Amino acid sequence: MRGKRTLLVAALWLGTIASALAVVHTTQRSRALTAELVEAQKIRDELRFEQERLLLEKGAWSAYSRIEKVARDELNMHVPSPDERVLVPAE
């Protein structure tokens, strides 16, 4: 009887140690994943900021007034006068 009791106590003791080690491992893994999540959220926020900046820049570059200025200044284009206009008949 005493041998069975000693074996039971040893098994419970090993189970408790295994459970404690599992808790430590799970806690460490949870902390690592939380840190990874925080880093991923930081990168997401930086990318959102960059996207908003690029959308604003795209809007500025494609503004009609800027396109007209580039056409006039850099490409030497102008609005045609009435005598320069040619109407092409529709078929």
Side-chain angles (χ1 to χ4, degrees):
M1 184 76 168
R2 190 156 178 88
K4 286 183 180 182
R5 178 172 265 200
T6 304
L7 187 60
L8 179 63
V9 169
L12 289 174
W13 185 80
L14 287 174
T16 303
I17 297 296
S19 175
L21 289 174
V23 167
V24 169
H25 174 73
T26 303
T27 302
Q28 179 62 27
R29 182 74 177 136
S30 175
R31 287 181 181 157
L33 289 173
T34 300
E36 191 176 324
L37 174 64
V38 167
E39 183 63 27
Q41 288 173 337
K42 179 183 171 188
I43 292 170
R44 179 204 60 201
D45 293 342
E46 290 171 357
L47 288 173
R48 279 187 182 165
F49 177 76
E50 178 73 7
Q51 180 187 26
E52 290 173 10
R53 188 187 66 74
L54 290 172
L55 286 172
L56 285 173
E57 187 175 332
K58 176 185 172 188
W61 281 93
S62 63
Y64 181 76
S65 59
R66 185 187 176 285
I67 293 172
E68 185 179 2
K69 183 180 183 321
V70 169
R72 204 175 339 99
D73 297 345
E74 295 179 20
L75 301 175
N76 297 320
M77 296 176 80
H78 65 280
V79 178
S81 62
D83 58 323
E84 292 177 315
R85 295 179 190 162
V86 177
L87 296 179
V88 178
E91 294 184 71

